[in-house]
Amino acid sequence: MTQLSEPLRLRSGAVLPNRIAKAAMEELLAEPGQLPGDALTTLYRRLAAGGAGLLITGHVMIDRRAVAQPGDVVLEQNTPLAPFRDWAAAGQSAGGQVWMQINHPGRVVPKDLARTTWAPSAVPIDVGGLSGMYPTPRAMTALEIDETVERFAVTARRAREAGFDGVEIHAAHGYLLSQFLSPLVNRRDDRWGGGLPDVGADLVELSGGSIESLATAGFPADGRTLAREAYFLALAEQLLATSPLPLMLTGGIRRRAVAQQVIDSGVDVAGVATALAIDPALPGQWLAGRDTGAEPPRTRLRNKTLAAAAVQALTSRRLARLGRGKSSRPPYSPAVALVLERLVRGRRRRGYLKWRRPA
């Protein structure tokens, strides 16, 4: 029986020292110029000391014109690499690997950050009464798709130059590549529509949910994700028999016993996210055999979208506190965290728009 502490050799030859990964979370901690700074390096040094064999960063944007939030980091052809080298070194400081998640949000860009967004097809976001926050996208031209493919390659190459051990191509949660994979959004009849081409990878992370289907926030549209822990384990078990690649499962893992259950099912890596914002030391405790866990945040907000936003805001506030060297426990509720996060977002938005203008 495979244990959480066992290394995993990937087909590229890279070795993860154990089967626990810190999954990507949107940290929203970019410094002026959309760069990583002291907050991210401090956060990742603390996460590395926690013992996870793999740290995956929050998404880094490949194009300054399209960010999901104004606190997102951007890495392009001419971005200075020194702060990224510090970030990578912090993530590797305890002997584990650090991969940069790279992303393009496509149509998931709020109106106050960009009046024009693009997607495979001109399909608007549907989030009920909040749909007006997002402009109806226009369909990308073939030239724009080619340029975006090149931007992913450039960002991946520069991440390697900065010292990151790998990259994760974000193709989930309703962002651009996920939009191309979805028949609900991709209605193209050219070579960018239809089936998925066969591509090489070391590891495939299985997660779920998007702004239109809030599975990872505890509001699933699919009955298979109703379990309060390891949301997507039933789906993963269906894929294990046919997947040619190792799988990493993320979503609701908060206790050692659940992480081990995931590995026992045949999944290769247990991805942990929100629980590490609560207690970044959990992986080391689990590897030592202690069944400690983290209680998920609760909110009394009844609107599902607002409740999900409040829980995410509390997680962002926890990460910000860790990045300042403080305890992750904030002295306020998710609803208050949502208000505070909106205030912080306003300041970051002004800085982002001022920085983006010269491009």
Side-chain angles (χ1 to χ4, degrees):
M1 180 181 296
T2 302
Q3 299 298 314
L4 290 171
S5 58
E6 290 187 31
L8 174 65
R9 180 175 291 276
L10 303 172
R11 71 180 188 177
S12 66
V15 178
L16 305 184
N18 58 61
R19 303 303 180 99
I20 303 171
K22 176 261 171 193
M25 291 179 278
E26 195 173 40
E27 295 108 357
L28 305 177
L29 292 175
E31 300 275 327
Q34 308 308 120
L35 296 169
D38 290 344
L40 278 170
T41 55
T42 298
L43 171 62
Y44 273 76
R45 197 171 291 110
R46 295 183 74 175
L47 289 167
L54 170 64
L55 304 180
I56 302 177
T57 73
H59 60 191
V60 171
M61 297 301 171
I62 65 166
D63 187 338
R64 68 170 59 201
R65 300 168 297 177
V67 300
Q69 292 295 340
D72 290 338
V73 172
V74 177
L75 178 56
E76 298 176 301
Q77 178 65 56
N78 296 318
T79 305
L81 284 187
F84 289 89
R85 292 191 176 101
D86 292 342
W87 190 13
Q92 296 159 341
S93 58
Q97 291 212 357
V98 59
W99 296 357
M100 179 189 290
Q101 186 186 75
I102 61 177
N103 191 26
H104 188 300
R107 63 180 186 155
V108 190
V109 179
K111 278 183 178 177
D112 67 349
L113 296 182
R115 296 188 179 276
T116 301
T117 61
W118 51 96
S121 305
V123 180
I125 289 175
D126 181 7
V127 284
L130 299 177
S131 299
M133 293 174 59
Y134 298 91
T136 297
R138 63 172 177 78
M140 297 175 73
T141 67
L143 184 62
E144 288 169 335
I145 294 173
D146 288 339
E147 179 195 347
T148 301
V149 171
E150 177 63 19
R151 282 182 173 273
F152 271 100
V154 166
T155 301
R157 185 184 71 247
R158 303 216 73 210
R160 181 181 62 189
E161 291 170 356
F164 285 84
D165 297 293
V167 295
E168 179 180 60
I169 309 297
H170 198 346
H173 301 160
Y175 294 118
L176 183 63
L177 297 188
S178 155
Q179 293 160 30
F180 270 96
L181 297 176
S182 170
L184 300 176
V185 184
N186 187 350
R187 300 174 182 174
R188 304 177 73 98
D189 57 9
D190 60 7
R191 69 190 183 100
W192 299 107
L196 177 67
D198 184 19
V199 295
D202 266 335
L203 185 69
V204 173
E205 181 181 0
L206 179 64
S207 183
S210 70
I211 193 170
E212 295 176 302
S213 179
L214 303 171
T216 52
F219 303 106
D222 185 333
R224 289 176 295 186
T225 66
L226 287 174
R228 296 178 66 185
E229 298 182 77
Y231 304 136
F232 307 111
L233 183 54
L235 177 58
E237 289 173 339
Q238 295 177 30
L239 296 176
L240 285 168
T242 57
S243 174
L245 296 170
L247 293 181
M248 168 178 160
L249 180 70
T250 299
I253 299 174
R254 302 189 299 271
R255 294 185 296 121
R256 180 186 183 278
V258 176
Q260 186 61 56
Q261 178 189 358
V262 166
I263 301 302
D264 290 345
S265 75
V267 172
D268 295 278
V269 180
V272 188
T274 304
L276 295 190
I278 298 170
D279 184 356
L282 282 177
Q285 296 168 14
W286 293 354
L287 294 171
R290 296 193 292 276
D291 197 16
T292 49
E295 283 299 312
R298 309 283 184 185
T299 177
R300 295 183 180 179
L301 294 172
R302 293 188 176 184
N303 180 283
K304 291 181 178 181
T305 302
L306 285 178
V311 169
Q312 181 158 336
L314 184 62
T315 299
S316 296
R317 292 291 86 212
R318 289 183 187 276
L319 294 172
R321 288 177 62 84
L322 289 169
R324 294 196 299 270
K326 297 183 177 181
S327 159
S328 68
R329 184 180 295 276
Y332 38 75
S333 68
V336 172
L338 181 58
V339 174
L340 292 173
E341 192 65 24
R342 297 302 296 180
L343 293 173
V344 171
R345 183 187 183 278
R347 173 175 55 80
R348 290 181 177 138
R349 173 182 173 272
R350 291 188 293 273
Y352 165 70
L353 293 176
K354 182 178 179 181
W355 170 78
R356 189 189 67 177
R357 203 167 291 131

